[in-house]
Amino acid sequence: LLIGPKSNIEGKKINKRAIYGFSLETKRLLDEPVVKFDLEAIKEYATENKLDLAVTNKKKEKSEPKIELRTSAIGIHPVTNKLFLISGVEQILFVFDLDGNLEYMEKLDPKLFNQPEGITFLNNGDMLISNEGGPGNATLLRFNYKLK
């Protein structure tokens, strides 16, 4: 079982996030994080790929994308074995390899994803993302998997 806290590793003010594992066999939290993420590398990826994200301060000479990576959903794709993570507050979908290296990132359309809070996959690779109701109705969206 994967657990993604919405705060920094061990509550410290550092630019790292982590996914922890809980063993369903032993009923214990694993001692070390399963995957660690570097927020600075993620911000660099967003800048290099010119993603349309909020920035820390537009007036600063060196503003950067405002990314907190506050995990609201985690899933492992059954075909690609990639880790998919949603930061619901920011409405961003991330795809990582299992070492925590960012492979893809996308700002989700707020018209479709008012508050994305869940992700899972069907055995064939189709992705399901759920949204809380918020100001509207709760939704469940399906995205069919296509081989490249």
Side-chain angles (χ1 to χ4, degrees):
L1 178 66
L2 298 176
I3 301 168
K6 292 185 178 185
S7 60
N8 293 321
I9 293 177
E10 300 170 1
K12 297 177 183 172
K13 286 199 169 203
I14 55 177
N15 286 321
K16 304 280 185 201
R17 295 287 188 277
I19 300 296
Y20 296 89
F22 182 84
S23 170
L24 297 175
E25 292 176 5
T26 65
K27 309 284 190 252
R28 296 182 58 98
L29 190 65
L30 302 180
D31 291 334
E32 295 295 320
V34 176
V35 182
K36 292 181 183 179
F37 308 107
D38 182 341
L39 283 180
E40 292 306 314
I42 292 170
K43 290 175 185 179
E44 286 176 25
Y45 180 97
T47 301
E48 289 170 6
N49 289 280
K50 298 177 176 47
L51 295 174
D52 186 19
L53 302 173
V55 293
T56 53
N57 187 347
K58 292 180 182 180
K59 294 179 183 177
K60 278 186 180 179
E61 185 176 309
K62 189 175 182 181
S63 64
E64 62 180 22
K66 186 176 181 185
I67 300 171
E68 295 182 19
L69 195 72
R70 295 172 50 103
T71 304
S72 62
I74 312 165
I76 304 288
H77 195 278
V79 177
T80 65
N81 209 34
K82 303 294 180 188
L83 186 141
F84 282 62
L85 185 147
I86 293 176
S87 182
V89 172
E90 299 165 305
Q91 297 168 314
I92 301 174
L93 172 70
F94 301 89
V95 181
F96 298 93
D97 66 19
L98 295 181
D99 291 323
N101 300 307
L102 182 61
E103 294 190 356
Y104 181 77
M105 178 179 170
E106 184 170 330
K107 174 75 173 156
L108 299 172
D109 182 348
K111 292 176 186 168
L112 283 175
F113 302 94
N114 63 325
Q115 192 171 351
E117 293 290 335
I119 189 169
T120 193
F121 298 93
L122 302 178
N123 289 337
N124 69 351
D126 290 358
M127 178 174 62
L128 303 172
I129 296 179
S130 62
N131 290 281
E132 286 186 3
N137 294 325
T139 60
L140 180 63
L141 304 170
R142 180 177 179 162
F143 301 88
N144 296 331
Y145 179 68
K146 295 178 184 171
L147 290 172
K148 289 184 177 181

